[in-house]
Amino acid sequence: MINPLNFLHDWLWQFANAKKAAYRDSPQMFELNTLYVENDPAILREVLLSSMKMIDDLMNFHDATYLRAEIILAAFSEFTLPSFRKSWYSPDYTVRFERLWQLISMGLTNL
């Protein structure tokens, strides 16, 4: 059986690193995405809707607005929003991610 917290942790880690890889491997597409998607909150929310639904389903939130899933993604914005891209190569990148995860996971276990 899948442990939802472990799965969510791994999924968020992969999501964060996919953004990092896109920045590193395809800087022109990354900039286009930033210009047309990341800078428009309505479009960004639409793009992230399937991710929010997946988190909602995984965590059994049953939240029609996906508010809790959206808040989880927002908490990890340092690892996904283009304005933080220069910090993605800091030596403490993994440590910061794991510390944030520890804070988030404590809240998730208390739901």
Side-chain angles (χ1 to χ4, degrees):
M1 181 170 174
I2 293 176
N3 177 317
L5 283 177
N6 289 343
F7 187 90
L8 181 59
H9 171 275
D10 294 348
W11 185 89
L12 288 165
W13 179 248
Q14 289 176 0
F15 185 71
N17 282 290
K19 294 289 286 211
K20 185 177 175 181
Y23 173 59
R24 180 192 63 227
D25 298 340
S26 188
Q28 290 175 323
M29 288 303 293
F30 185 87
E31 292 303 324
L32 280 174
N33 183 66
T34 298
L35 181 64
Y36 293 108
V37 175
E38 304 279 351
N39 288 332
D40 187 323
I43 293 173
L44 181 58
R45 188 175 198 292
E46 187 65 31
V47 167
L48 292 175
L49 203 53
S50 63
S51 295
M52 288 185 268
K53 181 178 180 352
M54 187 277 309
I55 292 169
D56 184 84
D57 291 345
L58 175 68
M59 301 307 297
N60 283 317
F61 290 151
H62 307 290
D63 183 357
T65 64
Y66 305 122
L67 181 60
R68 287 179 276 189
E70 186 174 12
I71 289 168
I72 291 168
L73 288 175
F76 285 88
S77 61
E78 176 185 355
F79 302 96
T80 60
L81 288 180
S83 57
F84 292 99
R85 65 184 167 254
K86 292 189 178 170
S87 72
W88 296 346
Y89 294 96
S90 297
D92 65 345
Y93 175 83
T94 302
V95 170
R96 287 179 304 138
F97 181 93
E98 293 301 332
R99 286 190 178 155
L100 178 57
W101 172 253
Q102 288 173 357
L103 288 171
I104 295 297
S105 65
M106 284 188 276
L108 291 173
T109 58
N110 294 321
L111 292 177

